[in-house]
Amino acid sequence: MRITAVFHFAVRLFLLFSCSIGLSAHAEGPVFNGFEKIAVFPVLLEGASGLGGGVDDATAKSLDEVWWQVREELTSTGRFVVASRAFLQRVDAFQPRGVLTTADAVILSRHVEAEVLITVRLKVRSLTVAVWEGKDGSKLWEESVELHPSVLVRDQVGAVGKSLVRRFIAHLPFQGITQLDPLTRQPIYEDGGRRLVKVKTGLGARIAEGDVAQWLQVRRSSLDPLLQGGAKTEITAVGKVVSVKDQIATVELTRIADSRGVQVGGLVAFPSEIERLNVKSDDKARVSELAMQILQPAQRSVDEESKKETRPLATTLSILASIAAVLLLAF
């Protein structure tokens, strides 16, 4: 126990010293190298009294399902390796987490062998998803959504949680990772006088021949979350997609500002894919509309019943109007 406390103190001291040196020297922040390994923790429930004095079995089950749905959303992209429930339980780390300190994020990421940590918090009817970088313990991204007051928490928390994770993925500045060419064992290889690079794009990307590719260098520029105004991004190379096969895009380099930017693991952005994702920084309300989508089927049923009730009345009124018209003509 004492050794753990000393280690925590040493990590905090090191991080504080590193930050103070960087700020005093006005030096550029560290480079963000992307990530692949992620650990997701169960929902931390805060303010249970606001849910009616406690949590019933159905709500507890829905909160447990959030972990599975968030993990599925991440793995379905084909871009990430997400720690399994069995692994987290084996290392005694499968438990709800709240706001992480810098030192806690660093230590926990090493313990679960992840590059990024994701925590989910539910406070009364506010759902928050936060993402932490394991390398330096900084916050990458965070967003909260107020659940719809007319829908039970258990009926919307999973869908909204998945939507928040999709928004996090959409906010990532890169959609591909530079791969090593298996024949030349180099990231850049030549074929017919063209300089080519292979880029892994994942399952959900809609990248096509002719699309522009941009190699990025992302550096931390402030203490804000990296993906929400805390980064400075520079383009180090540009290329054009010549083919896409089995989640691998072959890109022809057309301009290179810095050859060091095109290396194995280098971050690659595709403007067409970014436009498709259509991320808006102030579009929180759109996520809340998921609850309205849940209400729509029930609302349609009510409307249909209302129409059924008003249809006989309308028919009766129509008949009466016809009789009145005939009587007027008769006189």
Side-chain angles (χ1 to χ4, degrees):
M1 183 68 70
R2 187 168 183 174
I3 295 176
T4 303
V6 171
F7 181 65
H8 272 262
F9 177 75
V11 171
R12 289 190 176 95
L13 186 62
F14 172 76
L15 293 171
L16 180 62
F17 180 70
S18 300
C19 291
S20 63
I21 291 178
L23 291 174
S24 62
H26 300 284
E28 291 185 332
V31 175
F32 173 65
N33 294 313
F35 58 90
E36 184 180 22
K37 298 179 180 179
I38 302 176
V40 181
F41 299 102
V43 178
L44 176 67
L45 184 62
E46 302 174 336
S49 59
L51 297 173
V55 178
D56 55 66
D57 292 341
T59 300
K61 183 178 179 181
S62 70
L63 294 179
D64 184 59
E65 285 294 321
V66 171
W67 183 88
W68 292 103
Q69 294 182 58
V70 168
R71 184 179 187 275
E72 180 184 7
E73 192 66 36
L74 292 164
T75 56
S76 65
T77 64
R79 296 169 57 183
F80 312 112
V81 177
V82 187
S84 68
R85 184 170 187 154
F87 169 77
L88 293 175
Q89 288 175 334
R90 189 165 63 250
V91 298
D92 196 25
F94 190 75
Q95 54 186 285
R97 312 276 177 175
V99 178
L100 301 177
T101 65
T102 300
D104 288 341
V106 172
I107 295 169
L108 187 57
S109 66
R110 292 177 182 175
H111 182 64
V112 299
E113 301 175 12
E115 298 164 304
V116 160
L117 308 175
I118 295 181
T119 61
V120 185
R121 309 192 307 273
L122 176 63
K123 185 174 184 180
V124 188
R125 284 182 172 271
S126 179
L127 187 69
T128 301
V129 172
V131 186
W132 316 80
E133 187 176 16
K135 184 178 180 181
D136 60 8
S138 62
K139 187 182 293 182
L140 287 178
W141 183 88
E142 182 179 79
E143 190 162 300
S144 300
V145 168
E146 292 297 324
L147 301 180
H148 198 280
S150 300
V151 184
L152 292 174
V153 169
R154 62 173 177 262
D155 291 337
Q156 58 180 317
V157 65
V160 175
K162 287 181 66 174
S163 181
L164 281 171
V165 171
R166 282 196 296 271
R167 283 176 56 75
F168 159 64
I169 295 172
H171 273 83
L172 292 173
F174 65 97
Q175 294 78 46
I177 300 292
T178 306
Q179 302 292 292
L180 192 69
D181 177 60
L183 296 178
T184 64
R185 309 300 298 175
Q186 297 291 330
I188 303 176
Y189 65 99
E190 292 193 6
D191 184 9
R194 299 185 300 177
R195 293 177 297 178
L196 303 176
V197 183
K198 294 191 179 298
V199 179
K200 181 181 178 182
T201 60
L203 291 170
R206 301 178 187 175
I207 296 165
E209 181 179 340
D211 285 352
V212 174
Q214 300 172 337
W215 272 260
L216 307 177
Q217 184 180 76
V218 182
R219 288 184 178 274
R220 180 168 290 282
S221 60
S222 72
L223 297 179
D224 294 330
L226 186 76
L227 304 181
Q228 294 171 312
K232 176 183 178 182
T233 303
E234 295 181 358
I235 298 174
T236 59
V238 178
K240 182 178 67 175
V241 176
V242 296
S243 66
V244 181
K245 183 180 180 181
D246 298 331
Q247 304 177 43
I248 298 293
T250 301
V251 181
E252 179 185 1
L253 290 174
T254 55
R255 288 183 295 166
I256 302 179
D258 187 348
S259 59
R260 293 173 298 179
V262 184
Q263 56 185 341
V264 177
L267 308 182
V268 184
F270 297 90
S272 61
E273 185 71 358
I274 295 174
E275 184 177 355
R276 182 182 71 83
L277 294 172
N278 192 25
V279 179
K280 297 180 180 180
S281 59
D282 59 346
D283 199 17
K284 294 183 181 180
R286 187 165 59 90
V287 184
S288 299
E289 290 175 2
L290 281 172
M292 292 303 297
Q293 293 174 14
I294 296 171
L295 279 175
Q296 284 175 0
Q299 187 63 43
R300 281 198 296 270
S301 298
V302 172
D303 292 342
E304 289 174 1
E305 289 298 324
S306 177
K307 288 179 181 178
K308 289 179 181 178
E309 292 176 0
T310 57
R311 197 172 292 127
L313 177 61
T315 304
T316 303
L317 291 175
S318 177
I319 293 172
L320 291 175
S322 300
I323 292 174
V326 171
L327 291 174
L328 287 172
L329 289 173
F331 290 97

